[in-house]
Amino acid sequence: MRIGELSDRTATPRRLLRYYEEQGLIVPARSPNGYREYDEYNVDRVLQIRGLLDAGLPTRIIKQILPCLDKPRAIVFADATPEMIATLEHERDRMTERVNCLTRNRDAIAEYLDAVLANRG
Amino acid sequence: MRIGELSDRTATPRRLLRYYEEQGLIVPARSPNGYREYDEYNVDRVLQIRGLLDAGLPTRIIKQILPCLDKPRAIVFADATPEMIATLEHERDRMTERVNCLTRNRDAIAEYLDAVLANRG
DNA sequence: TCGAACCATCACACTTGTGTGAGGGTCCAG
DNA sequence: CTGGACCCTCACACAAGTGTGATGGTTCGA
């Protein structure tokens, strides 16, 4: 599919699809006429990227961790350098912290909402 | 305490403490000489702000939800306008999505790491 | 064959959260 | 009373993600 369809199916502006490519997060093929060509795989990929971006991870980090998130990942063992592993461990712990912080604060908001709604319901 | 001590105790650059103030997230008192004066309360406050920022929430939203996160919150029922409630519900759901996305991907990273480490350990 | 609807690159601009430094007050210890 | 360690405001700058538009090529249906 071309960029327009991918844009529709992922609710992502074309501009950003090109930006993600520029950042090395997706690597579309090119038609003879120069148009970008995407496959089904890229739909999930883009959605995953958006989720991680929305969760606060920068493209630089997303680029590093994306390969590990692929489902059939037997191939990836090769490029598991010590630095890479250290990065991943660090990022994993960071994400855990974020999850805790988010959960804590979301629960507080939910609790507040429940109280408010019960108070007027 | 003055800005330097708060900066030390929260591991936050002075610049950012002033920025958070500019964004209305904290409201320090002022000494006669113009110095900002913070109390103990602000330490937790700043840490909470940092956590939420790191979790991807913009200051604009943080400013809205902070009042609901205070522990003795009986007073706050007053300013619970319908728009405010809608914002909170939206943000609560958004945070839940983020938590899910982060958790999913963190687990994938952890799983990958476990596999890699088992593979060479 | 012409126009609409795509696509391309390039570039300028905005917002947010930060870094950094200039220029200048305050206060305390030596 | 002077030096150093604070504090102030102001301002310019940067990276990242994103918006928007200029300028121009391709494709396809009417």
Side-chain angles (χ1 to χ4, degrees):
Chain A
M1 78 191 79
R2 286 174 309 190
I3 201 171
E5 185 177 344
L6 184 61
S7 171
D8 290 344
R9 292 181 57 185
T10 59
T12 305
R14 282 145 240 247
R15 172 73 170 88
L16 291 188
L17 294 176
R18 300 198 185 99
Y19 175 69
Y20 299 155
E21 176 182 352
E22 188 184 306
Q23 301 302 308
L25 302 185
I26 45 181
V27 187
R30 292 289 182 139
S31 300
N33 59 13
Y35 289 8
R36 289 171 178 79
E37 274 296 333
Y38 303 90
D39 53 17
E40 282 301 315
Y41 173 74
N42 284 304
V43 177
D44 291 337
R45 190 86 164 186
V46 168
L47 291 176
Q48 191 164 34
I49 291 170
R50 299 227 96 199
L52 291 170
L53 273 176
D54 183 68
L57 276 72
T59 51
R60 174 178 39 92
I61 299 295
I62 297 178
K63 182 180 179 179
Q64 284 190 291
I65 69 180
L66 264 187
C68 318
L69 305 180
D70 280 334
K71 259 314 161 198
R73 80 162 81 79
I75 324 96
V76 205
F77 282 123
D79 45 39
T81 68
E83 305 82 37
M84 181 66 179
I85 292 183
T87 299
L88 286 175
E89 287 177 328
H90 179 246
E91 217 53 39
R92 177 199 55 191
D93 297 343
R94 217 166 128 69
M95 289 167 83
T96 299
E97 278 174 39
R98 279 179 205 228
V99 166
N100 291 339
C101 178
L102 273 175
T103 303
R104 212 180 320 120
N105 286 290
R106 184 212 47 192
D107 290 349
I109 291 176
E111 197 188 326
Y112 172 85
L113 276 171
D114 289 348
V116 168
L117 296 179
N119 200 36
R120 61 173 53 176
Chain B
M1 79 193 77
R2 285 173 311 192
I3 201 169
E5 186 178 344
L6 184 61
S7 172
D8 289 345
R9 292 182 56 185
T10 59
T12 305
R14 281 145 239 247
R15 172 73 171 87
L16 292 188
L17 294 176
R18 300 197 185 101
Y19 175 69
Y20 300 155
E21 175 182 352
E22 187 185 306
Q23 300 302 308
L25 302 186
I26 44 180
V27 187
R30 292 289 181 140
S31 300
N33 58 14
Y35 289 8
R36 290 171 177 80
E37 272 296 333
Y38 303 90
D39 53 17
E40 282 301 314
Y41 174 74
N42 284 304
V43 177
D44 290 337
R45 191 83 162 187
V46 168
L47 291 176
Q48 190 164 33
I49 291 170
R50 301 227 95 199
L52 290 170
L53 274 177
D54 183 68
L57 276 71
T59 51
R60 173 178 39 89
I61 299 295
I62 298 179
K63 181 180 178 177
Q64 285 191 290
I65 69 179
L66 264 188
C68 317
L69 305 180
D70 279 334
K71 260 312 161 200
R73 79 162 81 78
I75 324 96
V76 204
F77 283 122
D79 45 40
T81 68
E83 305 81 37
M84 182 65 180
I85 292 183
T87 299
L88 285 175
E89 286 177 328
H90 180 245
E91 216 53 38
R92 177 199 56 192
D93 296 344
R94 216 167 129 69
M95 288 167 86
T96 299
E97 278 174 39
R98 280 178 204 224
V99 166
N100 290 339
C101 178
L102 274 175
T103 303
R104 211 181 320 119
N105 285 291
R106 184 211 46 191
D107 289 350
I109 291 175
E111 197 188 325
Y112 172 86
L113 276 172
D114 289 348
V116 168
L117 295 180
N119 200 35
R120 60 173 53 179

